[in-house]
Amino acid sequence: MNKPDQKRKILVTAALPYANGPIHLGHMVEFIQTDIWVRFQKLRGHECLFPWSDDTHGTAIMIRARAEGRSEEEVIAEADADHQRDFQGFQLQYDNYGSTHSDENRQVCGEIWKTLRDAGLVKEKDVEQLFDVEAGTFLADRFVNGTCPECKRTDQAGDNCECGHTYSPTELIDPVSVLSGTTPEIRSAKHLFIELEQLHDFLRQWTQSGEHLQPEVANYLKGHFLGDPDSKEGAKELRDWDISRPAPYFGFEIPDSPGNYWYVWFDAPIGYIASTLQWCKKNGQSLDNWWKNDAAEIHHFIGKDITYFHTLFWPGMLKAAGYSLPTKVHVHGFLTVNGEKMSKRKGTAFKAATYLKHLNPAALRYYYASKLGSKLDDIDLNFEEFTTKVNADLVGKVVNLASRSAKFVKDVGLSETYPDDGGLFESAAATGDEIAAAYENCEYNKAMRLILELADRANPYVENAEPWNLKKDPEKASELQDVCTVALNLFRQLVIYLSPVLPDLAEKTGALLNDPIVSWDQSKTPLTGTTVSKFKHMMKRIEEKDVKAMEEESKAEAEAAAAAAQTAATADQFNDSGQPMIDEPMAEECTIDDFMKVDLRVARIVSAEHVEGARKLLKLTLSLGGDHRKQVFAGIKAAYEPETLVGRQVVMVANLKPRQMKFGLSEGMVCASGPGGEEVFLLSPDDGAKPGQRVH
RNA sequence: GGGCCAGUAGCUCAGUUGGUUAGAGCAGGGGACUCAUAAUCCCUUUGUCGCGGGUUCGAGUCCUGCCUGGCCUACCA
């Protein structure tokens, strides 16, 4: 299809990491897979662009921001920084890193939306959904628990029960909002839908052509969604896709539908385009050159869980909006750890950052490469295998070639002409096409196998040539140089083949032989006549203690998180630190009369605002019920966003003598604990307390 | 419940359109070497190819039933 000597224009994407959490080694399977493919294409001399982005919208981010008392923008900015730090740690080579909460994304979403409207694909329908009155939000399924209408099991998820039944959250018996613990009410709201069925014929043709998808994936779509017009059951109708959410929602408001927002799955994949647009602006290119150009290929790398979105909605949207369709969607399986599903609770959902503290990114890149094929099978991270594989293959076989021969030619460099090596170099060069095909088809495991077979031929060559004996005889100096020239060339050839996986090793090899590795074609011609630098260690062996240290740390993180969650949820942990009492020792004994002098009252915050010029203060208006209002300046600016405080009940000192402050009169104090700054924790009464009630 | 995928040596996997005694790496056993990060090289043990039927001159490979595991099952991000 594509001749190897033809320069291709390739746009590659990986799934956009969600801004609601850290990157773990499961994510890294896909990101490393994508990065290897991108580096491979560049090495082959193709023009390859990898625009990437955080995925930032949706209810989950909104809820999290509220819970943490800060803005969504703060939450996603922090996630963005954390994600990119991890990606750089793993040597991922993306060209642009955007955000789905960007101007570019809003713009492209708007343009695509308009074409969908104009094409008559959008329709409105009323949807009944559970609404949490206290939290003031509609509840996505996962934010509701209740009793299964079928088997009456209690405490089941909003859309399915462990008995296997699926239902709508509105059918739940005794539904409870997991946000507030209150009983939500059913409310009807207008939603916007895309009538995907209008694109049925196109989607069948596109998914079943055999060009764009792995056969299992095409099969899955046919069996599940599209049906088969030639079968007994016939074609199935594609359901309408609900792409709007009513306010409040963190996302983009739909321009022609005020109060409604695009569902995160509408704007997330458009983030691929928006990130490309950002890159184009910086580099003076036209977006259409990538996204509306038949000569440009588009490749998506995704996990099998999001197949549906990328193989039906996404091509449907692109088609309707006049953009290029994906050339290929590459779907991969999940990561298991030591044969089991990753578990945050058990601490086997290793964070990328935790891994990087203890281990070399190259090791994981190689290990994943050696396991990844073109199928959807899950791959397993087994640390014993990981250690032996990296040590035996990379250090023992590949790097060893350089480490056992480079120092013999440090002073003389490589021979001027490439010596007779019995055809080793040439046959390994011939294997290059097969290795390249394996990379191209995402069969990295096959590529690694082929490369290691070559390494298994190179080491015996050195063994038989015995350079360490040649060294002893000054008359055999040129023979020694020749043997090492062969060994180093075989080594360099392997490193070129491995360079998409191990960019770091490629760079060090370039430095050793004073000829940087920049192109796949360098594997076809031996390097001669260059000087050879002093050999330095290129890759460290993996030590068991480092693996153990990472496992321990991850386990400790998991336990700490679990303990924190439990303390918060049930206050059932009595192993609290003694530090606060040390920081602030007990005050002098007081009498009940002393205490009664202080009039503590439940109050509701009815307004909260920033005070211009104040560094620490927020201005609060507190209601004690009826028309009793108090104005209070509280030093909690660093810990709370004003919007999150409104409506909240707190405990205040109501009879405190008013005090004239720089910004106005303060008529009381809100009770809070903590040392100050960001560490301030307001006191709140339990549910049922009423503003104005005295605290005894 | 329905669907997709997988099940080959202790472990990780290769086995092309069915064709001779089923392969590799790691691990295990024995030996060699000492240039190299206890690295390397040579030799070597191990299989009811998940189970049962069927098609065929011939099945790991095709069909079928079952068992086991992973995943998916659209308003979940």
Side-chain angles (χ1 to χ4, degrees):
Chain A
M1 193 168 67
N2 294 294
K3 290 186 189 127
D5 54 351
Q6 198 173 15
K7 184 163 176 172
R8 292 155 62 190
K9 191 176 178 72
I10 310 170
L11 187 140
V12 180
T13 72
L16 307 185
Y18 197 51
N20 193 26
I23 301 300
H24 56 63
L25 296 189
H27 296 114
M28 290 313 302
V29 172
E30 173 175 313
F31 303 157
I32 287 173
Q33 180 188 41
T34 308
D35 185 63
I36 290 172
W37 208 76
V38 167
R39 286 178 182 271
F40 167 72
Q41 299 300 353
K42 287 180 177 170
L43 191 68
R44 297 282 279 178
H46 302 305
E47 186 182 7
C48 188
L49 186 69
F50 178 11
W52 207 8
S53 178
D54 254 23
D55 176 19
T56 58
H57 289 157
T59 316
I61 301 280
M62 181 177 80
I63 300 295
R64 165 130 183 246
R66 276 192 202 182
E68 294 176 2
R70 48 185 187 157
S71 68
E72 285 93 349
E73 282 78 3
E74 279 179 86
V75 171
I76 65 178
E78 183 183 276
D80 187 292
D82 287 351
H83 291 175
Q84 290 211 61
R85 182 203 58 214
D86 291 344
F87 297 159
Q88 272 149 31
F90 274 101
Q91 299 157 352
L92 305 185
Q93 201 177 52
Y94 46 89
D95 294 286
N96 184 62
Y97 204 83
S99 160
T100 57
H101 197 58
S102 68
D103 293 342
E104 286 83 1
N105 202 35
R106 188 191 289 272
Q107 176 198 329
V108 180
C109 284
E111 286 166 13
I112 290 180
W113 179 247
K114 188 168 182 308
T115 58
L116 297 178
R117 280 274 202 199
D118 293 347
L121 288 165
V122 180
K123 69 175 183 189
E124 292 187 356
K125 279 196 284 193
D126 282 335
V127 173
E128 287 197 331
Q129 221 182 334
L130 292 174
F131 187 85
D132 182 325
V133 181
E134 183 161 321
T137 180
F138 283 95
L139 295 165
D141 293 0
R142 66 204 194 85
F143 292 118
V144 189
N145 285 337
T147 303
C148 170
E150 281 295 328
C151 72
K152 317 292 189 218
R153 274 192 183 83
T154 57
D155 203 28
Q156 295 303 306
D159 56 351
N160 72 88
C161 170
E162 56 190 89
C163 74
H165 276 97
T166 58
Y167 39 76
S168 156
T170 53
E171 297 170 54
L172 275 178
I173 302 168
D174 300 330
V176 172
S177 164
V178 303
L179 299 184
S180 64
T182 60
T183 303
E185 55 187 49
I186 295 176
R187 285 198 190 173
S188 181
K190 191 156 288 182
H191 282 229
L192 295 164
F193 290 78
I194 291 180
E195 259 185 300
L196 209 58
E197 180 60 17
Q198 289 189 35
L199 299 166
H200 193 125
D201 288 343
F202 157 72
L203 288 171
R204 181 172 51 243
Q205 186 272 326
W206 187 82
T207 59
Q208 304 302 310
S209 74
E211 290 170 44
H212 311 295
L213 304 174
Q214 288 131 299
E216 314 76 306
V217 176
N219 219 343
Y220 155 72
L221 297 173
K222 182 161 114 181
H224 256 289
F225 307 111
L226 293 160
D228 180 357
D230 301 327
S231 73
K232 267 188 295 186
E233 293 83 16
K236 293 184 188 175
E237 190 171 316
L238 292 166
R239 286 218 211 152
D240 298 335
W241 182 35
D242 183 353
I243 51 80
S244 78
R245 293 293 181 275
Y249 193 75
F250 180 58
F252 292 139
E253 192 166 22
I254 303 175
D256 54 14
S257 182
N260 288 310
Y261 290 72
W262 283 308
Y263 174 47
V264 55
W265 263 110
F266 178 80
D267 69 54
I270 294 175
Y272 297 145
I273 300 177
S275 182
T276 313
L277 178 58
Q278 276 185 347
W279 182 87
C280 285
K281 282 181 180 173
K282 286 180 205 157
N283 291 276
Q285 284 208 21
S286 134
L287 182 66
D288 291 357
N289 197 21
W290 290 98
W291 282 96
K292 293 185 178 174
N293 176 0
D294 288 344
E297 299 174 34
I298 295 172
H299 292 257
H300 297 300
F301 285 82
I302 60 164
K304 58 186 176 182
D305 53 333
I306 56 175
T307 300
Y308 177 66
F309 294 96
H310 280 82
T311 54
L312 289 177
F313 291 146
W314 179 235
M317 266 166 65
L318 290 170
K319 171 75 176 173
Y323 282 80
S324 298
L325 293 160
T327 309
K328 280 201 171 139
V329 179
H330 306 266
V331 187
H332 63 80
F334 293 149
L335 182 73
T336 56
V337 174
N338 292 326
E340 290 181 9
K341 217 171 145 172
M342 285 192 311
S343 155
K344 281 187 189 159
R345 196 171 45 77
K346 290 183 189 166
T348 56
F350 301 102
K351 288 183 195 162
T354 310
Y355 174 96
L356 288 171
K357 265 194 237 171
H358 301 279
L359 295 158
N360 179 355
L364 193 71
R365 291 178 65 103
Y366 175 73
Y367 183 74
Y368 281 172
S370 76
K371 307 282 278 190
L372 272 167
S374 61
K375 299 287 181 58
L376 279 70
D377 303 344
D378 291 348
I379 66 171
D380 187 45
L381 173 56
N382 174 297
F383 284 111
E384 207 173 311
E385 188 195 7
F386 168 78
T387 306
T388 58
K389 202 167 193 109
V390 171
N391 289 350
D393 290 0
L394 292 184
V395 182
K397 287 181 178 167
V398 177
V399 175
N400 186 41
L401 278 169
S403 130
R404 72 195 306 195
S405 54
K407 71 172 188 185
F408 294 133
V409 286
K410 183 168 73 71
D411 299 322
V412 294
L414 298 179
S415 303
E416 287 302 325
T417 55
Y418 188 71
D420 180 15
D421 64 3
L424 280 176
F425 188 92
E426 206 171 297
S427 81
T431 310
D433 288 343
E434 206 183 335
I435 296 169
Y439 273 120
E440 176 69 36
N441 297 325
C442 296
E443 295 171 306
Y444 304 162
N445 52 2
K446 185 176 178 186
M448 296 307 108
R449 215 168 39 242
L450 290 167
I451 294 168
L452 261 291
E453 270 173 34
L454 299 179
D456 280 337
R457 301 223 291 268
N459 272 307
Y461 168 85
V462 179
E463 203 76 17
N464 294 331
E466 301 184 333
W468 55 92
N469 283 336
L470 297 175
K471 185 190 63 169
K472 293 171 188 164
D473 185 348
E475 284 182 18
K476 293 189 172 161
S478 102
E479 202 183 327
L480 174 64
Q481 186 187 22
D482 281 355
V483 166
C484 294
T485 298
V486 170
L488 287 169
N489 263 291
L490 296 176
F491 166 69
R492 173 171 171 267
Q493 198 174 36
L494 295 172
V495 173
I496 293 166
Y497 292 151
L498 285 169
S499 67
V501 180
L502 305 170
D504 195 45
L505 179 62
E507 200 171 310
K508 287 175 180 160
T509 301
L512 177 71
L513 301 178
N514 293 294
D515 186 70
I517 289 170
V518 292
S519 155
W520 186 266
D521 287 342
Q522 288 173 295
S523 66
K524 293 176 180 159
T525 318
L527 187 65
T528 51
T530 64
T531 55
V532 174
S533 309
K534 186 171 189 315
F535 181 81
K536 285 182 276 191
H537 265 25
M538 294 179 145
M539 187 176 286
K540 247 183 63 191
R541 296 172 62 77
I542 294 178
E543 294 186 47
E544 210 185 311
K545 68 172 172 58
D546 294 331
V547 174
K548 282 274 174 292
M550 181 193 68
E551 288 184 299
E552 289 305 318
E553 180 167 341
S554 187
K555 214 170 152 183
E557 284 169 5
E559 280 165 9
Q566 196 166 4
T567 307
T570 66
D572 209 17
Q573 299 284 308
F574 299 118
N575 55 352
D576 298 319
S577 154
Q579 196 59 40
M581 285 298 283
I582 297 168
D583 292 342
E584 204 171 357
M586 188 89 75
E588 197 181 321
E589 192 175 278
C590 74
T591 66
I592 184 82
D593 293 331
D594 291 332
F595 173 70
M596 290 307 287
K597 280 187 185 167
V598 180
D599 193 338
L600 295 172
R601 299 272 171 171
V602 174
R604 187 186 298 283
I605 300 175
V606 292
S607 82
E609 54 194 85
H610 288 291
V611 182
E612 204 176 337
R615 277 185 305 135
K616 296 183 182 172
L617 297 178
L618 289 181
K619 179 177 165 185
L620 307 177
T621 306
L622 301 172
S623 166
L624 295 171
D627 48 16
H628 294 280
R629 296 285 161 103
K630 295 268 190 184
Q631 177 177 284
V632 170
F633 289 91
I636 56 172
K637 184 183 165 98
Y640 291 92
E641 281 295 323
E643 305 86 88
T644 64
L645 291 172
V646 177
R648 211 182 133 155
Q649 293 194 5
V650 293
V651 175
M652 75 171 296
V653 183
N655 62 340
L656 193 67
K657 184 180 171 188
R659 184 171 168 212
Q660 186 61 44
M661 299 179 74
K662 183 176 171 189
F663 306 99
L665 192 68
S666 187
E667 307 171 278
M669 249 177 89
V670 289
C671 296
S673 69
E678 287 177 19
E679 298 235 57
V680 172
F681 309 98
L682 285 174
L683 262 54
S684 292
D686 276 351
D687 286 344
K690 293 190 173 54
Q693 288 178 337
R694 185 161 182 191
V695 178
H696 302 283

